[in-house]
Amino acid sequence: MLKNPLTPMNSETLSMAEGHRTSSNGSSRKNFIVVCVLVVLALVLPLQLPNFLVFQLTMAIIYAISVLGLNLLTGVSGQFSLGHGAFYAIGAYSAAILMEHMGLEYGWTLPAAGAICFLIGFLIGFPAVRLGGIYLALATFAFAVATPQILKLSLIEEWTGGVTGISLSKPDAPAGLPLNSDQWLYVLTLFVALVAYIGARNLLRHRTGRAMLGVRDNATAARAMGVNTTLYKALAFGISAMYTGVAGALGGLVVQYVAPDSFTFALSIALLVGVVVGGVGWLPGAIVGGLFVMFIPNFAEELSQGLAGAVYGVILILLMYLLPAGFGGLVTSLKGFLSRGRGHVAGRH
Amino acid sequence: MELLLQQILAGVASGGIYACVALAIVMVYQATGHLNFAQGEMAMFSTFIGWQLIQWGMPIWSAILLTIVISFAAGVLIERTIFRPLVHASSLTHVVVFIGLFGILNSMAGFIWDFGIKTFPSPFGDGTLFGLIGKHQAGMIATTACVAAFLYIFFRCTRLGLATRAAADHPVFAKLVGIASENVVSIAWGIAAAIGSIAGMMIAPVVFLEPNMMVSTLLYGFAGAVLGGLTSPVGAVLGGVIVGIMENLSATFIPVVGAELKLPIALFLIIVVLVIKPSGLMGRVVTQRV
C-alpha cells in the first residue's frame, strides 16, 4: 500500500492546477493579481516585525522550500523518502564548506549546494528506484541516519569541523538597501522560494513533469508508453534533493551555524509531516507545511513544557482526522463546493 | 576464533530482540498494510509499566506476564480508538498518525517516569553460561525462540490463526466466509503490542530503561523486517537475527567503524541485499496489475 501513497484527491488537485492554464484569460489575470498582492504583502509586512520573528518566518519559508522539494518526489513521482533531512544537511554543509574553506561568496553557495545535492540525489536515486515503496523508505531512512554520523567522522574533520560543526558569518544586505541582515536574508529566501515554486509549477506542465505523473499513476503503463521510468524516477529524486539542498544552504546562512546534530532523522520526519499537512501533490501546500514545521512544535512547547511531544502528537492526529488529505484536500473540497454552488445558479438562468 | 564465536552469539542475542520487534512490525503490516513507527515507543511504554509493577513489589515473572496481558489490551485499544476511524486513509496519513502516537507515548513516559535512566532487573539473573555468553543473553535467545514458536503454532494450528491469515491475505473473501476481519486487525495489534512488550523487557536490562531506549532497537527491527521481507514472519525472525550479527561483527572487526558507524553499516549492507533481491529474503514478489 505504501507503493502509491496518494489519495485520489491529489490527482484531481493536480489536474485542476493544469486546468488553470486553459481557463479563460480573465480568471488567470485575476489569479495573477492575487499572487502579486500576496507577494507584495509577504515582502513588505515582515519588514515591520521584530528581528526574531523575521528570523522565524525566514526559517518557515526555508522549510517550505524543502517541503516543496519533497512534495515533488512524493506527490508528483509517487516515491517515498524518509531521508530528506540528509539532503538538507548536505546543502547546509556544502554552503558552509564553500564559504569558510574556499572563500566563495554566499550568493554562489546556493546554486552550488543545489548542484551538489542534485548530483547526489540522482546518483542515489538510480539504485534506490529499483526498490519500490517501503524498501525505498528504508534506503532513504538509512541515508538519513548515516549522514550525521558520517559528518562527525574524524577522517573529514578538517573540512566539516567534526561534532562542533562550522560557524558562518551573516551576510549583510547589498549596499544601498535599507535592510538589516535578518531582513535581507528574509527577502533573499522569499525570492528563492518564488523561483523554486515557479520552477516546480512549470516542471509539472512540461514533458518531464507529465512523465513523472505517469510514473506515479502507473509505472508499468508509463513504461509501455515509452517513458524511461528509471531515468524519470532518478530525475525526480535529484530535483527533489536539489530543492532541499538549496533550502539547507539557506538554512545554514540564516542560522549561521551547521552541526551534525541539527540534522537528525527528526528533521526528515518533520519535512514529511509538512508535506502531508500541506497536502500531498498540492504545491502551494508547501507554505502551510513550512509554517507547520516551524511553528507548531514551538506552540506545543508553549502549551505545556513537560508534555510538548504529546501535545504535538495530539495535534498531528487530530489534524489527520479533520483533514486526512491535508490543507490541499480542504482547498479542493472548498473549490468543489463553490463551483457546485455557481453551477446551480447558472442552471436557474 | 573465540572472539568471533562470542560476537556471533552476542549478535544472535540482540538479534533475537530485533527479531521480536520485526515480528511485531510484520504482524501489523500483514493485517493493515502499514508500518507502525510507534511500535518501539509502545514497547518502551510497556516496559515502564512492567518496571512500575516490579517497583510496587510484584515478583518479576508475574510482573512480566501481567505486563504482556496489559500490553495486549492496550494494543487492541489503540487500534480500536485511533486507527479504526482511519481504515481508508492513505499510507502517508497513517505515517503521520504513527508519528503523532510516537510523540504522545514518548512524552507521556517522560512526564510520568521522568527522563533519567533506570535499571530493569533481568529475570534470568547475572553471570555467564559456559564462559561464552551471559545468562541474560542466553535468556534473550530462548525468549525469542519461544515467541517464534508460539506464533508459528498460533498461525499454523489454531482456527483463530488461520482466520487471521485469511483476513490478511484477502479481507473481502475472508468476510464472505464469515471471518470478522475487523477483529482480526485488533488481534494483530494486540499480539504486536504483546511481542513488543516482551522485546522491551528483554532489552531493558541491556540498554537501561528510559523513554528513548527503543529508538535504535526499532531501527534495527525495521531493518530486520524489511530484510526478511515484510510479508513473512519467518523472514522477520531471520532478518532480525542477521541484523544483530552484522551489527556486532561490523562493530568488532571493521576498525574505523567502531561503535559510531555500526548502524549505518548495518543499514548499508541491508540495502546492498535489497538491491540484489528487492522483495527481501523471504518476501513474496508482488506483481502489479496495469
Side-chain angles (χ1 to χ4, degrees), chain A residues 12-64:
Chain A
E12 268 170 46
T13 343
L14 282 174
S15 57
M16 278 181 73
E18 284 166 22
H20 272 281
R21 195 171 45 140
T22 48
S23 67
S24 66
N25 247 342
S27 96
S28 81
R29 190 174 303 153
K30 207 162 55 182
N31 273 346
F32 183 70
I33 292 171
V34 169
V35 168
C36 283
V37 169
L38 282 179
V39 168
V40 170
L41 276 182
L43 200 60
V44 175
L45 270 187
L47 301 186
Q48 316 299 327
L49 297 171
N51 274 346
F52 183 62
L53 217 58
V54 173
F55 164 78
Q56 285 189 318
L57 279 176
T58 314
M59 285 311 291
I61 300 175
I62 287 170
Y63 288 134

Side-chain angles (χ1 to χ4, degrees), chain B residues 81-273:
Chain B
T81 51
I82 299 183
F83 289 94
R84 183 62 58 82
L86 291 171
V87 171
H88 300 293
S90 71
S91 309
L92 279 173
T93 305
H94 272 88
V95 170
V96 171
V97 175
F98 283 128
I99 294 167
L101 185 62
F102 184 105
I104 293 175
L105 290 175
N106 188 290
S107 169
M108 291 280 281
F111 186 74
I112 301 172
W113 291 287
D114 79 58
F115 282 90
I117 59 170
K118 298 170 177 56
T119 47
F120 193 95
S122 164
F124 306 106
D126 303 323
T128 52
L129 223 55
F130 316 120
L132 259 184
I133 181 172
K135 270 188 189 155
H136 182 72
Q137 284 177 322
M140 278 155 82
I141 297 174
T143 311
T144 311
C146 288
V147 169
F150 168 78
L151 283 183
Y152 186 83
I153 292 166
F154 173 76
F155 279 118
R156 292 284 152 183
C157 309
T158 65
R159 277 183 73 82
L160 192 59
L162 184 64
T164 311
R165 281 194 294 146
D169 273 351
H170 213 302
V172 179
F173 287 175
K175 238 181 200 165
L176 285 176
V177 297
I179 297 166
S181 307
E182 291 86 359
N183 292 348
V184 167
V185 174
S186 296
I187 290 170
W189 265 86
I191 294 179
I195 300 173
S197 74
I198 296 173
M201 287 183 287
M202 287 300 115
I203 199 90
V206 184
V207 297
F208 295 111
L209 180 61
E210 50 111 6
N212 296 317
M213 72 165 196
M214 285 304 281
V215 174
S216 64
T217 307
L218 178 72
L219 303 188
Y220 288 120
F222 262 127
V226 172
L227 179 65
L230 279 161
T231 45
S232 154
V234 181
V237 174
L238 192 67
V241 173
I242 292 175
V243 171
I245 295 174
M246 277 206 282
E247 177 211 356
N248 265 290
L249 290 188
S250 62
T252 317
F253 291 102
I254 309 179
V256 198
V257 177
E260 277 278 284
L261 275 183
K262 63 180 186 176
L263 179 61
I265 291 276
L267 291 170
F268 176 75
L269 290 174
I270 289 158
I271 289 164
V272 171
V273 173

Side-chain angles (χ1 to χ4, degrees), chain A residues 216-307:
Chain A
R216 176 195 78 185
D217 289 339
N218 195 323
T220 318
R223 191 155 54 223
M225 292 174 76
V227 175
N228 184 343
T229 48
T230 315
L231 177 70
Y232 278 105
K233 278 180 169 180
L235 206 57
F237 219 91
I239 293 172
S240 165
M242 178 179 77
Y243 270 74
T244 310
V246 171
L250 279 168
L253 282 178
V254 172
V255 180
Q256 303 175 59
Y257 178 59
V258 293
D261 290 328
S262 332
F263 311 113
T264 55
F265 181 54
L267 178 64
S268 305
I269 289 285
L271 294 179
L272 191 67
V273 167
V275 171
V276 180
V277 167
V280 182
W282 189 61
L283 297 185
I287 192 73
V288 182
L291 290 169
F292 189 92
V293 171
M294 181 64 219
F295 289 107
I296 295 300
N298 291 354
F299 169 75
E301 194 120 336
E302 264 169 40
L303 220 56
S304 157
Q305 201 126 51
L307 283 170

